[in-house]
């Protein structure tokens, strides 16, 4: 299947934003070793895509809420079909179908962004001054040459951590500088990817469904770790896109979670072997709110009798008078 339509779409958005920043006076030439018009074009490519996908993000949140509401029923099925994995999966799929909940909806926005990521990766990888076909996907020769020379702190946006000596020479780049800038951006990319998943799990808690829990662990740990290797082949411009996308996700999720907080469900007892971790409310980094120190219980004060007052029960505790 040809992805040319994706390459044309990504190129058109990039070139449109670059022309817009150029028109309002953003310098095309490098300032502080950075061509801000092209950097902003990549950043606003993210904004454009996220605005288009916002309705899908809302559906994702609704699906997650539906999955949370079904957790008690999922737990009951797990207890009922313990040891019978095939029947359990069949019953759970029937439950999801009946309640119109989709376990995979949580990953849908990410899957829809994969063509955008691949399109940008392909378009930026082509930014080689030695290429002859510079006018593919709607580019002019001047636009292609301008993007080929675009830099972030003197590191070309088409350069990558694993660029060869020949590639760096054609881009007119210093290998050490490219590795430092790309390396720092890869670490930021990993960190922000981890935080986007952690933010959601802190607010919604770990799922009881093993399949959902496995997806949560993959999102939280697997994807960030995979970026340590794959980040070496990403052009710097692609990493800028990924980091910006993560920051946008953090802000968007925070807004949605404040506006539509997760439903409060009744606490259920679980076995000590596989306890369900409840949602935390201590913020993005899991900080707990300050708690007040416990106060010691004090005995109730008893008012002393007033001077001259008769005792309430004068005969209690006194020996009876002996008759003379």
């Amino acid at each position: 299947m040809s992805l040319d339509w994706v390459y044309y779409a990504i190129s058109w958005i990039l070139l449109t934003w670059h022309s817009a920043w150029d028109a309002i006076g953003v310098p095309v030439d490098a300032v502080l070793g950075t061509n801000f018009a092209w950097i902003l074009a990549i950043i606003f490519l993210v904004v454009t895509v996220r605005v288009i996908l916002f309705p899908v993000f809302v559906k994702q949140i609704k699906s997650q809420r539906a999955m949370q509401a079904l957790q008690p029923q999922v737990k009951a099925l797990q207890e009922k079909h313990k040891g019978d994995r095939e029947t359990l999966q069949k019953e759970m799929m029937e439950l999801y179908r009946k309640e119109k909940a989709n376990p995979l909806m949580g990953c849908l926005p990410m899957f829809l962004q994969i063509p955008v990521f691949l399109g940008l990766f392909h378009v930026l990888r082509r930014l080689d001054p030695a290429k002859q076909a510079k006018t593919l996907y709607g580019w002019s020769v001047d636009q292609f040459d301008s993007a080929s020379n675009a830099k972030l702190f003197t590191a070309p946006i088409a350069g990558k951590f694993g660029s060869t000596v020949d590639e760096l020479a054609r881009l007119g780049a210093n290998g050490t500088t490219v590795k430092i800038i790309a390396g720092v951006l890869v670490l930021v990319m990993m960190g922000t990817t981890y935080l986007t998943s952690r933010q959601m799990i802190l607010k919604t808690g770990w799922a009881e469904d093993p399949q959902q829990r496995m997806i949560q662990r993959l999102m939280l740990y697997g994807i960030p770790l995979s970026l340590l290797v794959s980040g070496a082949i990403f052009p710097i411009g692609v990493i800028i896109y990924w980091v910006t996308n993560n920051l946008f996700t953090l802000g968007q999720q925070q807004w949605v979670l404040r506006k539509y907080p997760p439903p409060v469900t009744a606490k259920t007892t679980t076995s000590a072997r596989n306890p369900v971790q409840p949602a935390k409310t201590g913020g993005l980094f899991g900080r707990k709110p300050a708690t007040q120190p416990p106060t010691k219980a004090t005995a109730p004060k008893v008012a002393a009798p007033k001077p001259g007052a008769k005792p309430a029960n004068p005969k209690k505790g006194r020996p009876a008078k002996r008759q003379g």
Side-chain angles (χ1 to χ4, degrees):
M1 179 180 177
S2 175
L3 291 178
D4 282 357
W5 65 274
V6 175
Y7 306 148
Y8 274 102
I10 297 301
S11 297
W12 182 83
I13 296 172
L14 275 177
L15 297 176
T16 299
W17 277 115
H18 180 263
S19 299
W21 295 118
D22 185 21
I24 65 176
V26 175
V28 176
D29 297 329
V31 177
L32 300 176
T34 303
N35 297 87
F36 286 100
W38 282 110
I39 301 301
L40 287 172
I42 294 174
I43 291 173
F44 276 80
L45 168 64
V46 175
V47 175
T48 303
V49 172
R50 296 308 296 266
V51 168
I52 294 173
L53 292 180
F54 186 76
V56 179
F57 181 78
V58 173
K59 289 184 178 180
Q60 174 196 20
I61 295 298
K62 290 181 178 179
S63 176
Q64 289 174 338
R65 296 294 183 267
M67 294 296 297
Q68 284 179 282
L70 292 177
Q71 288 306 304
Q73 297 181 58
V74 171
K75 172 104 175 99
L77 287 175
Q78 290 173 341
E79 292 295 330
K80 180 180 179 181
H81 302 291
K82 187 180 296 184
D84 189 352
R85 190 174 185 84
E86 182 178 351
T87 303
L88 174 62
Q89 291 296 326
K90 186 183 298 183
E91 291 286 338
M92 287 175 57
M93 289 300 103
E94 178 62 23
L95 175 64
Y96 294 151
R97 185 195 64 78
K98 181 180 177 182
E99 300 296 334
K100 298 180 180 180
N102 187 351
L104 300 179
M105 181 60 73
C107 301
L108 184 59
M110 183 186 70
F111 288 147
L112 291 179
Q113 291 184 75
I114 290 177
V116 179
F117 172 81
L118 293 176
L120 183 64
F121 179 85
H122 178 79
V123 167
L124 293 185
R125 192 176 59 174
R126 291 190 66 257
L127 295 180
D128 186 340
K131 283 191 176 293
Q132 299 297 321
K134 297 182 179 182
T135 58
L136 282 178
Y137 313 130
W139 292 68
S140 69
V141 175
D142 289 340
Q143 289 170 332
F144 187 94
D145 290 338
S146 175
S148 298
N149 294 316
K151 295 178 173 60
L152 174 67
F153 302 122
T154 72
I157 63 174
K160 52 186 179 292
F161 190 90
S163 291
T164 64
V165 175
D166 290 340
E167 290 172 340
L168 293 171
R170 291 196 298 271
L171 293 171
N174 179 277
T176 302
T177 301
V178 170
K179 281 182 168 53
I180 291 174
I181 298 299
V184 170
L185 286 175
V186 167
L187 293 178
V188 175
M189 177 174 62
M190 293 173 61
T192 53
T193 300
Y194 171 80
L195 289 178
T196 55
S197 297
R198 179 177 171 81
Q199 180 190 50
M200 185 62 70
I201 293 174
L202 283 176
K203 294 295 183 180
T204 60
W206 290 91
E208 292 189 33
D209 178 10
Q211 182 182 4
Q212 285 289 101
R213 186 181 286 250
M214 181 182 66
I215 293 175
Q216 285 179 320
R217 292 191 182 280
L218 175 64
M219 298 288 290
L220 186 61
Y221 302 113
I223 294 179
L225 287 175
S226 69
L227 296 175
L228 185 62
V229 177
S230 58
I233 66 172
F234 293 165
I236 287 175
V238 171
I239 304 177
I240 294 172
Y241 171 89
W242 193 303
V243 171
T244 305
N245 188 62
N246 286 344
L247 295 176
F248 195 101
T249 299
L250 284 171
Q252 184 173 262
Q253 286 183 168
Q254 188 67 18
W255 177 82
V256 170
L257 290 169
R258 285 181 181 273
K259 190 171 180 63
Y260 306 104
V264 178
T265 57
K267 294 182 179 180
T268 55
T269 57
T270 56
S271 63
R273 183 180 178 184
N274 188 26
V276 175
Q277 302 178 29
K280 300 180 181 179
T281 57
L284 179 60
F285 295 96
R287 291 193 294 267
K288 296 182 178 180
T291 57
Q292 297 293 333
T295 57
K296 294 182 178 179
T298 57
K301 294 183 179 180
V302 179
K306 296 181 180 179
K310 294 182 179 182
N313 191 2
K315 294 184 179 181
K316 186 177 181 180
R318 295 184 180 181
K321 288 186 178 181
R322 301 175 67 179
Q323 300 293 331

